[in-house]
Amino acid sequence: MRLGRIASPEGVAFVSIEGPPDDPAQAVAKEIAEHPFGTPEFTGRQWPLADVRLLAPILATKVVCIGKNYADHAAEMGGEAPADPVIFMKPNTAIIGPYAPIQLPADADPVHFEGELAAVIGRPCKDVPAARAAENILGFTIANDVTARDQQKKDGQWTRGKGHDTFCPVGPWIVTDLDPSDLAIRTAVNGEVKQNSRTSNMIHDVGHIIEWISRVMTLLPGDLILTGTPAGVGPIEDGDTVSITVEGIGTLVNPVVRKGKS
């Protein structure tokens, strides 16, 4: 199932997207009553996907991220991959949906893209063994861990550099029946491929990541877990378009603007 969140003439709703998602004229968004967790119930209302606007597919209480989870990315950042997962967080106010603009702060240069696979938590959980992590996952989506690299380096910790509004594009939807162990992940800027890897290259797999994070904090339905980015990160500028594709999910597209522009 592909779960999304839309803005329609009747308001904002969770939906199941049926039909070919790469052909909005043929795909249909079927409204889900209340929320997508558990066994979704449908209201009976539906819209052609072409007639609605896709939003970020989930409203997360928190965004938990894993740093340096691909050895090649750790190397390009000038260090070795850590033995244990490195956790950091982005505020939920950083979340935006497909085609919403990434806004570059006036005091940040350079700002980098980081294409990532993201897991969406499906129920409250704590101290989850890696072998049972899948039981607590609603599905998977795509995220861009946008980073003001100069601020990250200057501060010595990552909150400001990764926490700006619009610095967590997510979407276009959540796929519930997906094996995350070996998926192609690719990021392009203005059509030029910058990152090209597979999730099998992650140092810590999704199960281990969920186990590690849930030892520290309770995870709630809708929480986003960003699993790390492969090598190839680089700057984005005003006027660019970033496209992140994950096999089995689709493509997340966002334009880039300098803050204050639209």
Side-chain angles (χ1 to χ4, degrees), residues 93-229:
T93 48
I95 296 172
I96 56 173
Y99 301 105
I102 300 167
Q103 298 186 11
L104 306 177
D107 60 347
D109 184 35
V111 175
H112 282 189
F113 60 84
E114 295 189 10
E116 309 200 9
L117 174 72
V120 182
I121 298 299
R123 63 185 188 184
C125 58
K126 180 73 167 69
D127 296 321
V128 178
R132 301 190 63 180
E135 300 172 19
N136 299 280
I137 296 173
L138 175 66
F140 295 90
T141 187
I142 304 168
N144 188 350
D145 176 21
V146 182
T147 304
R149 198 66 74 195
D150 59 330
Q151 294 179 359
Q152 180 188 25
K153 292 180 179 179
K154 179 180 180 180
D155 294 354
Q157 53 82 29
W158 302 353
T159 303
R160 180 168 69 120
K162 290 177 175 284
H164 289 274
D165 290 355
T166 77
F167 271 26
C168 190
V170 179
W173 38 67
I174 299 163
V175 176
T176 60
D177 51 348
L178 188 68
D179 179 352
S181 61
D182 186 25
L183 303 173
I185 179 169
R186 183 177 70 251
T187 303
V189 178
N190 303 326
E192 181 181 351
V193 174
K194 302 291 188 178
Q195 294 179 289
N196 193 9
S197 188
R198 302 193 69 85
T199 58
S200 54
N201 292 322
M202 289 194 295
I203 299 166
H204 307 289
D205 64 18
V206 171
H208 186 199
I209 289 169
I210 299 296
E211 178 179 288
W212 186 263
I213 295 172
S214 68
R215 289 178 186 172
V216 179
M217 65 190 78
T218 298
L219 296 171
L220 300 175
D223 283 351
L224 282 166
I225 310 296
L226 274 57
T227 61
T229 196

Side-chain angles (χ1 to χ4, degrees), residues 102-109 237-238 256-261:
I102 300 167
Q103 298 186 11
L104 306 177
D107 60 347
D109 184 35
E237 305 287 350
D238 183 28
V256 181
V257 301
R258 180 60 61 181
K259 197 169 183 179
K261 295 185 177 182

